[in-house]
Structure formats: structure tokens, C-alpha cells
Amino acid sequence: MSIFSQPGFDNHEAVHAFNHPEAGLQGIIAIHSTALGPAFGGCRFWTYANDSDALTDALRLSQGMSYKNALAELPYGGGKAVIMRGNGAVDVTALFEAYGRVVETLGGRYITAEDVGTSVENMRSVAKFTSYVSGIPKKDGYKGGDPSPVTALGVFEGMKAAARHQFGTDDLAGMTVAVQGIGHVGYHLCSLLHEAGAELLVSDINTDNEDRAISEFSAKPVTSDKILSAAADIFAPCALGGVLNVQTIPTLKAKVVAGAANNQLATKIDGQLLSAAGITYAPDYVINAGGIISVAAERTSGATKEGVLGAVKRIGKRTGKILSRASQSKTPPSEMADQMAREIIAKAKTTTAKQAA
Ligand code: NAD
């Protein structure tokens, strides 16, 4: 396994591998940038085919966190942890306690929280050994906790902005939205869409999750292999990354793609393919920033629920701005968002360098 020539490597500041076999813990923390502040991003607990795949995931996700935090105007850089789930049984409490000790050794350069496969309970185990953890409900001030409902709200606002850009209206009543993945975020997104009067098509490999959306939101089920090509106005990827690629993009019927999943584009070229097909793509890390806004607020004294909801609702305005700039300059929205995020990070680096001189 190489690091500097690994897919996803983007001049990351640091990559930490950790191994604690007694706790069944093996994983990677990638710190992409601390130019804007400590690297902040969730911890993914997932089964990887090999450690090279885990490294690529950590590298790409941590870069995404740098861009996400920059565009969400948060005083944080980007980082991400991946823990490789093994085949055998594991004491999950002991595993996350050991992970908490690892996070503590980084002295605050990286702050962790939930991501796919991790829960509030896991973060409570982490918190026994480090204060550099968020996503745990607090008694005083802004409550915080599970970021998923707040993420879903941001995705909903971003989706409306993308619909306005593509269809000239952000009224989703009567529109058909195909949602892939009805987990923590997908479920709350379906709830908001149902309330807004949208028709829902849903797909989840976990049938319990799919059934819940069918019974609560009158959603219609679609098999996993058909959800991308389903007859819908909007496609919302809310499972895992890489679903938009050279094979799947030509099959899309939806004219808007707006969902929660990180790294939806398999490669940079896929952003260009979407634009060429006349599909409006709401960049994933722009519209799924609600969760990080929420967990960051847990660490901000004086933060309020109203303040967090206001910041999350601004995701809609920001998405609209990126989409118009992208259209004006004939650049795919994914590239426009990257460019704007890189400018913010570069400016912070210049300011720091000037202060140090
Ligand atoms: P989750 O694990 O709760 O839900 C994911 C769901 O997708 C599960 O129900 C799973 O069964 C389903 N799934 C997996 N593969 C599938 C497939 N091929 N077809 C259909 N369904 C499939 O995760 P989550 O917290 O809801 O996060 C979803 C996505 O959003 C992830 O990519 C995550 O990184 C991203 N995200 C989440 C948050 C958050 O606050 N939870 C914040 C930002 C981004």
C-alpha cells in the first residue's frame, strides 16, 4: 500500500494508521487540511475488501470534509477516520474506547463524530477517552446529537435549489423523487419530501428500512438495480459513494441529482458527463453539510437550535449560487464547488503564512 501515489491523495497533511488487535481495532485517520482549523469529520465503520480501499476512502472523504467545512463557513479543516470492520464478532464498546484513545493521541488536530456504521452510542464510548468527539446529545445549550435529521434538512434545501435551477420552481409537490438508501439520512429526507407533497420511489438493500418508507410515506419500492434509471424528476443518492459513473449516468432519467451520500461521482469526469446530459447536479458535500454544522455547533459556546437551522437553510442559497456560477462559466457544478472551496482554503493558508512571517 502506498500513500503518496494512492488514488485520492491530494497533498494530505497527515495519514495515521492505527492497529490495536486486542480491541479488534484497525483503521486510518486522514487529515487533509488544518488551514481553517482542526480537521473535523466523522468516523466510518465499514467492511473493506482490503486496506488499500480503506485508505482511498479515508483520503477522498477527508478531502471532501475540507471542502465541505470551507464552503459551510466553519472554522474547521477536513479529516476523516475509517475503521475496518472484520469478519468475526467484536466487542464494539471496547473497540470504540480504543479508538477514543487513538483520537486523543492526536491532541485535537482531528475531531471525530458519527458517519456510516457508527452511532451516538459508539461516540459515547469514544468520549470516555477523548474530548475531541462530537455528535453526542448535550444537556445544556445546543443539544446536538445524531446529525442525520439536520443533514436531511440541508439536503432538502439543496434539492429545492437544484429543482429551481433546472425546472424553474422549488415546489416539489407532485414531483417524483427516487431515493437510494433509506437509512438515517434517507429516512428523514423521505419524511420532508412526503410533507412537501413529492411522490417517492425508494430502494434499500435492507428491506426493513424500505418497508418503513412504504408504510409511512406511501413510497413505491424499486429494486436496487433499477433505482438510478427509475422514471423520476429527481434522484437522491443517500447510500454510499461512486454511484454516478460512466455506466450509470447514461441510464438516468431524472434531470436533478441531489442526495446525501458522500463522493457520489466516481471520478471528476462524471461531473462533466452529468452536465453534458443536461442534468443539474447539486454537489454532495455542499448540500450534506447540515450534519457537520450541527456537530460543530455542539463545540461552540452560545450556539442555538435557531442558529443551526438558519445555517442549514443557507445551504439552499449557497447551492443556488454555485449552480448559477457554474452555468455562467459553463463549468460543472462539482468543479465550481471544488474551485470555490480551494480558494477559501488557499486564502486561509496565505493569511497563516503572513502571520507567521
Ligand atoms: P446509513 O448507514 O444509516 O444508511 C445508508 C442506507 O443505505 C442503509 O439503509 C443501507 O442499507 C442502504 N444501502 C447501502 N447500499 C445500498 C444500495 N446499493 N442500494 C440501496 N440502499 C443501499 O447512513 P446515513 O447516515 O444515512 O448516510 C448515508 C450517506 O450520507 C452516506 O454516504 C454518508 O456518508 C452520507 N452523509 C451522512 C451524514 C449524516 O449526518 N448521517 C452527513 C453527511 C453525509
Side-chain angles (χ1 to χ4, degrees), residues 82-123:
V82 300
I83 298 177
M84 290 178 261
R85 197 188 269 271
N87 292 327
V90 67
D91 177 345
V92 173
T93 304
L95 182 144
F96 281 97
E97 286 176 357
Y99 171 64
R101 287 189 212 101
V102 171
V103 172
E104 179 64 15
T105 63
L106 299 180
R109 271 173 68 74
Y110 168 69
I111 304 166
T112 199
E114 294 91 348
D115 188 56
V116 175
T118 54
S119 63
V120 169
E121 216 32 58
N122 301 148
M123 293 308 127

Side-chain angles (χ1 to χ4, degrees), residues 69-83:
N69 293 342
L71 283 182
E73 299 169 11
L74 294 170
Y76 292 104
K80 199 89 178 184
V82 300
I83 298 177

Side-chain angles (χ1 to χ4, degrees), residues 44 46 61 68 80 115-117 146-148 151 180-186 203-206 209 224 227 238-241 260-262 288-289 291-292:
R44 183 165 287 197
W46 195 247
L61 289 166
K68 184 186 310 198
K80 199 89 178 184
D115 188 56
V116 175
D146 176 12
S148 309
T151 300
Q180 180 188 44
I182 320 297
H184 288 92
V185 182
S203 179
D204 198 300
I205 49 173
N206 176 333
N209 287 357
S224 288
I227 191 73
C238 297
L240 292 179
N262 282 308
N288 72 15
I292 192 76

Side-chain angles (χ1 to χ4, degrees), residues 266-298:
T267 66
K268 197 176 159 183
I269 289 160
D270 300 313
Q272 295 163 12
L273 293 180
L274 285 168
S275 292
I279 296 168
T280 295
Y281 171 65
D284 46 14
Y285 63 77
V286 177
I287 70 168
N288 72 15
I292 192 76
I293 291 171
S294 174
V295 295
E298 286 176 36

